Amino acid sequence: MSNNSSTKNRGIFLLPNLLTTAGLFSGFFAIVASMNNQFESAAIAIFIAMVFDGLDGRVARMTNTQSDFGAEYDSMADIVSFGMAPALVMYNWALSDLGKFGWLAAFIFVAGGALRLARFNTNLGSSDKRFFQGLAIPSAAAIVSGLVWVGSKYEVDPNSISYLAAIVTICAGLLMVSNFRYHSFKDVDWRGRVSFVVILAVVLAFVVVATEPSLVLFTIFFLYALSGPILTIRSVNRLELKHVVGDTDEDCDDEVEKKDDESAKKQHSEDETTKPD
């Protein structure tokens, strides 16, 4: 009886790991497609990997199939789909002619992604769920692959923007290991009721994305990347090096949380003042 029980516990949950594998396949396909100069397909494959990455964790929680194996497998898949794949796609598209500077820019992105995942996994139980510390690796991958998608879609000569592409790649890699705070949107109640206007806005958002998906998605993630420094600067009284990079301490976290609480109380007070009798 005990042997059968131990064998059962060593099994792997199929559905969430199947979605993780699909994301891993999409990332690997992006690398192969870029090697065959199919850069638009490569960029789209990375965005498809983002969809699978967003689904696997939610499906695991909804079906109560979370496991340590699934968490580790997801991290391994992420470094391929959102670390190696965007870097190599960008390198094959615009950075290969830059020589050493080109592959070093791609490596900075990969290293930043690996460090970002390692820090996220080790801080999982202690970090504020409302915010990410540093740009999440799927968002960084969306910026890099989005630039490739836009360039391929509009037939931009990659040699004319090779240095710009390298700078974007490096900045995306550095933002992942920064201490800038990004909204995680995990505090949004996705199961709650919303008004009809919200549903209408969602439909309109899908329409806007469908008109020019490459340009719209790249713009959204680029603005999201800029939101981190802006949010951090607004959350502290005086910007210091520890707010940008390095190990954060308790004083730094307390300062940010205190200012967040003050902003929340101020907003609540304004809402109470404007509430009709």
Side-chain angles (χ1 to χ4, degrees):
M1 184 68 179
S2 60
N3 290 337
N4 292 336
S5 178
S6 61
T7 302
K8 183 178 179 180
N9 292 334
R10 285 200 298 268
I12 299 172
F13 293 113
L14 177 62
L15 187 56
N17 291 297
L18 188 63
L19 293 171
T20 303
T21 303
L24 178 62
F25 175 81
S26 299
F28 181 77
F29 174 82
I31 297 174
V32 175
S34 70
M35 294 170 63
N36 294 322
N37 295 324
Q38 299 173 353
F39 297 109
E40 188 171 353
S41 299
I44 293 173
I46 294 174
F47 278 92
I48 293 175
M50 291 179 60
V51 175
F52 287 120
D53 181 66
L55 287 175
D56 59 5
R58 285 173 174 80
V59 168
R61 288 188 291 271
M62 290 173 59
T63 58
N64 196 24
T65 53
Q66 305 102 311
S67 65
D68 293 337
F69 174 86
E72 293 297 328
Y73 184 34
D74 183 65
S75 293
M76 297 300 102
D78 284 352
I79 194 57
V80 174
S81 300
F82 307 128
M84 294 294 297
L88 290 175
V89 169
M90 176 61 81
Y91 178 80
N92 291 329
W93 183 64
L95 305 182
S96 57
D97 291 336
L98 296 180
K100 183 182 293 186
F101 178 66
W103 65 258
L104 283 176
F107 173 74
I108 289 174
F109 182 87
V110 175
L115 291 170
R116 173 64 175 78
L117 286 171
R119 183 172 66 178
F120 176 79
N121 291 338
T122 55
N123 295 340
L124 194 58
S126 58
S127 59
D128 189 344
K129 302 297 183 183
R130 299 173 301 169
F131 301 98
F132 290 130
Q133 183 184 1
L135 183 64
I137 187 171
S139 300
I143 294 173
V144 173
S145 58
L147 180 58
V148 176
W149 190 0
V150 171
S152 301
K153 178 73 173 180
Y154 295 97
E155 299 181 351
V156 176
D157 182 11
N159 293 325
S160 64
I161 61 168
S162 57
Y163 283 99
L164 175 62
I167 293 173
V168 170
T169 304
I170 293 173
C171 289
L174 295 179
L175 283 175
M176 286 189 284
V177 295
S178 70
N179 290 334
F180 291 133
R181 305 169 79 232
Y182 289 89
H183 277 292
S184 65
F185 303 105
K186 291 183 178 181
D187 54 343
V188 178
D189 184 9
W190 298 103
R191 298 181 180 181
R193 293 178 178 270
V194 295
S195 65
F196 179 77
V197 177
V198 175
I199 299 299
L200 181 60
V202 171
V203 173
L204 292 177
F206 277 110
V207 172
V208 171
V209 172
T211 55
E212 290 292 340
S214 60
L215 187 59
V216 173
L217 289 174
F218 173 72
T219 302
I220 290 173
F221 283 100
F222 186 80
L223 292 176
Y224 178 69
L226 294 179
S227 70
I230 296 174
L231 176 64
T232 302
I233 293 172
R234 294 182 59 185
S235 300
V236 297
N237 295 320
R238 183 167 59 91
L239 187 66
E240 300 178 8
L241 181 61
K242 62 184 179 182
H243 298 130
V244 179
V245 69
D247 295 330
T248 56
D249 52 27
E250 294 182 358
D251 293 337
C252 175
D253 295 336
D254 292 342
E255 179 186 354
V256 173
E257 291 178 4
K258 182 179 179 181
K259 191 148 187 178
D260 287 341
D261 292 339
E262 291 175 354
S263 299
K265 291 179 181 178
K266 182 179 180 181
Q267 182 65 39
H268 178 72
S269 176
E270 292 176 354
D271 293 341
E272 289 294 328
T273 302
T274 56
K275 184 182 296 183
D277 295 334

